[in-house]
Amino acid sequence: MGTTSFLTRARGLLRIRNQLVRECLAELLATFVMMAITLSSAAQKITFSETKGNLLTSYLGSALGVMAGIYTAGGISGAHMNPAFSLAMCLIERFPWWKFPIFVAVQTLGSFIAAGAVYILYYDAIWHYSNGTLTVSGPQETASIFATYPADFVSVANGFLDQVIGTGVLIVVVMGIMDTRNKAVPQGLDPVVVALLVLCIECSMGANCGCPLNPSRDIGPRLFTYLAGWGPEVFRWVEGRERGGDGR
């Protein structure tokens, strides 16, 4: 009885009653889960030489990460996990504008924390693979574990258009999935369908820039790599750079 009473009191003290705080924590957790899975799948290229450059591994991890994130917090915050989706929801008046900057900050923070967690998880592998030098380009680069980088032939304009089209397709189809006037997705399978959509877009449009489709997915980890030792080059677009790995 004493233990039960203690747990009941503890739950009462730890319970968060503020709805905004609950939503922010849920969004933070969902984004963290999505990014931890996504970045860990990208890190496989440095731990197993035979799978180095395996795009399918990275794309599957990204899609499954999205599915896991939606299942984690879809019923609380909506599991936006993407500023582009939050913006779209604001434009159709299904999400208040005043929450938009808050969610963007939380999503970016979740991605940043996930990058740190993956860095710790693969710390030994990263330093062994890179021979003690953290670089953004070259055959031993490791920055592409955390953020997406353009292929050698992609210009700034082409890269911008690539992301506009890819993210646009993602948002349009997700809105179609949510529209009750369209063919209904079986209850509880929305995250699976969205994950398949992400996988489809990445497999078909990922060659140019790695297909991040998500500003927070790219900015948060890029900020982490800048602070963790990769330096300001993580923010530079260098056409024709020599890249290693899979170009992510």
Side-chain angles (χ1 to χ4, degrees):
M1 293 295 293
T3 303
T4 303
S5 177
F6 171 77
L7 292 176
T8 301
R9 289 198 301 271
R11 282 196 296 267
L13 291 173
L14 295 174
R15 183 179 180 184
I16 299 173
R17 294 175 174 79
N18 185 283
Q19 183 61 26
L20 177 60
V21 175
R22 288 164 60 90
E23 291 177 2
C24 287
L25 289 176
E27 191 70 11
L28 180 71
L29 182 59
T31 306
F32 173 84
V33 168
M34 175 188 73
M35 290 303 301
I37 295 173
T38 297
L39 300 182
S40 292
S41 66
Q44 298 302 310
K45 69 178 186 177
I46 67 170
T47 56
F48 301 106
S49 59
E50 67 271 16
T51 62
K52 183 171 180 286
N54 190 334
L55 285 171
L56 186 58
T57 300
S58 296
Y59 291 163
L60 278 174
S62 179
L64 293 174
V66 170
M67 180 183 71
I70 298 174
Y71 275 126
T72 298
I76 303 173
S77 68
H80 294 191
M81 303 182 295
N82 187 338
F85 181 72
S86 297
L87 177 61
M89 294 295 283
C90 289
L91 291 174
I92 63 173
E93 300 182 347
R94 295 185 60 175
F95 190 69
W97 281 100
W98 66 268
K99 283 186 180 181
F100 176 68
I102 299 174
F103 264 47
V104 171
V106 169
Q107 291 157 2
T108 304
L109 177 61
S111 294
F112 182 92
I113 296 173
V118 171
Y119 176 71
I120 293 171
L121 180 64
Y122 286 97
Y123 180 85
D124 290 341
I126 289 171
W127 284 98
H128 173 75
Y129 179 80
S130 65
N131 292 322
T133 303
L134 302 178
T135 60
V136 181
S137 59
Q140 302 301 115
E141 64 82 20
T142 47
S144 63
I145 293 172
F146 301 94
T148 60
Y149 292 88
D152 297 346
F153 51 81
V154 178
S155 64
V156 175
N158 193 184
F160 176 79
L161 183 63
D162 174 87
Q163 288 308 294
V164 169
I165 293 176
T167 305
V169 170
L170 172 67
I171 298 302
V172 167
V173 178
V174 169
M175 291 298 180
I177 293 170
M178 295 171 55
D179 192 340
T180 56
R181 296 169 295 181
N182 283 335
K183 292 183 178 296
V185 175
Q187 187 175 6
L189 291 182
D190 301 54
V192 177
V193 175
V194 174
L196 290 173
L197 168 63
V198 171
L199 179 61
C200 178
I201 295 174
E202 289 185 324
C203 287
S204 59
M205 301 183 186
N208 283 337
C209 300
C211 218
L213 305 175
N214 184 339
S216 70
R217 178 258 178 272
D218 198 73
I219 295 173
R222 203 178 294 269
L223 284 171
F224 173 82
T225 52
Y226 170 71
L227 296 174
W230 277 265
E233 191 182 352
V234 299
F235 294 109
R236 296 173 185 160
W237 186 293
V238 182
E239 296 181 34
R241 76 169 81 211
E242 181 187 1
R243 295 208 50 75
D246 57 16
R248 285 181 60 81

